[in-house]
């Protein structure tokens, strides 16, 4: 599903295999290494991605799937813990063939090409989350 190397203490370079679902692979990696506080960033390419937009007025999520070859121009996110499980909050900017971009909160992405991530583990930190009624979001509990 992926390969990785620890380039310095608590900092990993992670390569996700072709055709894998990136978020599932990243979640597995974090679970395997017990990373419950940290950061992720990366680049790569996908053939499909589902993004999510929260309408703050209605507190309703709108999900949309883009099924086309796109570059991960930028991926950035954080790693925390909710209900004793890894909780990923990841945003992505995807470049299309016509050089326009789509962007948003990332739910799933199927790799088609490479996916090169840097994962930083903050082993002494604790980042919990809790549902917040006012925003409809799972906010940090800090
Ligand atoms: Fe988000």
């Amino acid at each position: 599903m992926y390969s990785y190397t620890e380039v310095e203490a608590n900092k990993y370079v992670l390569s996700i295999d072709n055709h894998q679902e990136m978020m599932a692979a990243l979640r597995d990696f974090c679970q395997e290494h017990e990373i419950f506080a940290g950061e992720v960033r990366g680049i790569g390419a996908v053939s499909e991605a589902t993004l999510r937009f929260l309408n703050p007025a209605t507190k309703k999520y709108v999900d949309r799937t883009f099924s086309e070859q796109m570059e991960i121009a930028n991926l950035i996110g954080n790693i925390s813990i909710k209900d004793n499980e890894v909780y990923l909050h990841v945003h992505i900017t995807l470049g299309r063939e016509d050089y326009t971009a789509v962007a948003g909160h990332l739910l799933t992405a199927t790799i088609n090409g490479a996916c090169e991530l840097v994962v930083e583990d903050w082993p002494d930190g604790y980042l919990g989350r809790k549902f917040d009624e006012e925003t409809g979001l799972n906010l940090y509990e800090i």
Side-chain angles (χ1 to χ4, degrees), residues 21-33:
E21 199 285 288
M22 195 220 95
M23 291 293 275
L26 177 60
R27 202 170 285 114
D28 280 4
F29 176 81
C30 293
Q31 205 87 291
E32 183 190 325
H33 293 265

Side-chain angles (χ1 to χ4, degrees), residues 46-51 64-68 70 94 96 102:
V46 303
S47 56
E48 185 169 281
T50 300
L51 308 185
R64 198 199 287 194
T65 298
F66 297 86
S67 300
E68 58 193 80
M70 295 174 285
L94 294 162
R96 297 172 125 164
V102 293

Side-chain angles (χ1 to χ4, degrees), residues 4-40:
Y4 66 91
T5 178
E6 190 172 8
V7 287
E8 56 184 70
N10 304 311
K11 190 176 201 173
Y12 301 89
V13 168
L14 174 62
S15 173
I16 296 177
D17 294 345
N18 206 11
H19 310 304
Q20 293 291 316
E21 199 285 288
M22 195 220 95
M23 291 293 275
L26 177 60
R27 202 170 285 114
D28 280 4
F29 176 81
C30 293
Q31 205 87 291
E32 183 190 325
H33 293 265
E34 298 182 343
I35 302 173
F36 298 116
E39 189 174 42
V40 57

Side-chain angles (χ1 to χ4, degrees), residues 52 89-91 104-106 137:
R52 165 165 283 185
H89 185 191
V90 175
H91 287 195
H105 179 102
L106 180 63
L137 295 168

